[in-house]
Amino acid sequence: SLLEKEIITSFKNQMFENHHLDVNTNSSDIFWLASIDLQKNKKIDSRLMNWLNLYGCLRNYSCAFFLLAFIIVCFHWYKILWLHQVTDLRGSRILLASLIISGVLFLRYWIIYYSYYSKYIIRAYVCSMQNDNGNDGQ
């Protein structure tokens, strides 16, 4: 889901007011400055760390299953090239399963990071900055 126009406008205005940066430049500084500002609030920082742990865990599991598939492929090529054995390809089902699991976990990581985590930073930044400025969320 896309962010509401009011949230985007408020984020742009607050980022320019606090850091003199234009959000339309697509600089990674905007993301990191918003993250750093949010770390000052312990409640928001704990939620950000939760998101980071969730997506980091999925990324690591995805990488582990991909490495398992890579090791199986290397073993198959070793058997074919050096041992000249083509008939015994044990582990092919594990190879296929590990590639599928790796892909599913990576897709889930991508969804969490880009759909939830990055949008949470924008929403939390807008909410946090509005409360810091005494606007009571308006």
Side-chain angles (χ1 to χ4, degrees):
S1 67
L2 299 175
L3 293 169
E4 295 291 328
K5 289 182 182 181
E6 292 83 11
I7 293 174
I8 294 170
T9 302
S10 182
F11 180 76
K12 287 179 181 181
N13 293 341
Q14 290 173 13
M15 187 56 69
F16 187 78
E17 181 180 317
N18 295 334
H19 300 289
H20 306 292
L21 290 174
D22 181 13
V23 175
N24 296 325
T25 61
N26 294 325
S27 170
S28 66
D29 292 336
I30 294 162
F31 175 82
W32 289 112
L33 287 172
S35 297
I36 291 167
D37 284 345
L38 291 173
Q39 288 175 352
K40 296 172 187 172
N41 183 323
K42 296 300 178 196
K43 276 184 157 178
I44 294 174
D45 186 46
S46 66
R47 290 186 180 120
L48 286 175
M49 291 309 297
N50 185 44
W51 284 113
L52 283 173
N53 291 334
L54 282 173
Y55 94 80
C57 182
L58 288 172
R59 181 197 59 223
N60 293 343
Y61 282 142
S62 174
C63 185
F65 278 105
F66 186 77
L67 285 174
L68 174 65
F70 180 75
I71 290 168
I72 293 170
V73 167
C74 289
F75 179 69
H76 283 325
W77 278 108
Y78 169 76
K79 285 174 34 178
I80 291 169
L81 295 176
W82 279 274
L83 301 178
H84 304 292
Q85 294 177 356
V86 181
T87 57
D88 186 21
L89 295 178
R90 281 180 284 192
S92 296
R93 283 184 233 141
I94 296 172
L95 169 65
L96 181 61
S98 64
L99 284 174
I100 290 171
I101 292 170
S102 175
V104 167
L105 291 173
F106 185 76
L107 181 64
R108 186 65 185 143
Y109 150 72
W110 192 271
I111 290 169
I112 285 177
Y113 185 73
Y114 285 102
S115 294
Y116 295 104
Y117 180 70
S118 58
K119 290 178 184 174
Y120 179 76
I121 286 181
I122 293 171
R123 291 176 182 127
Y125 185 81
V126 168
C127 182
S128 175
M129 293 300 122
Q130 286 177 346
N131 289 337
D132 287 348
N133 293 334
N135 294 337
D136 295 326
Q138 294 184 5

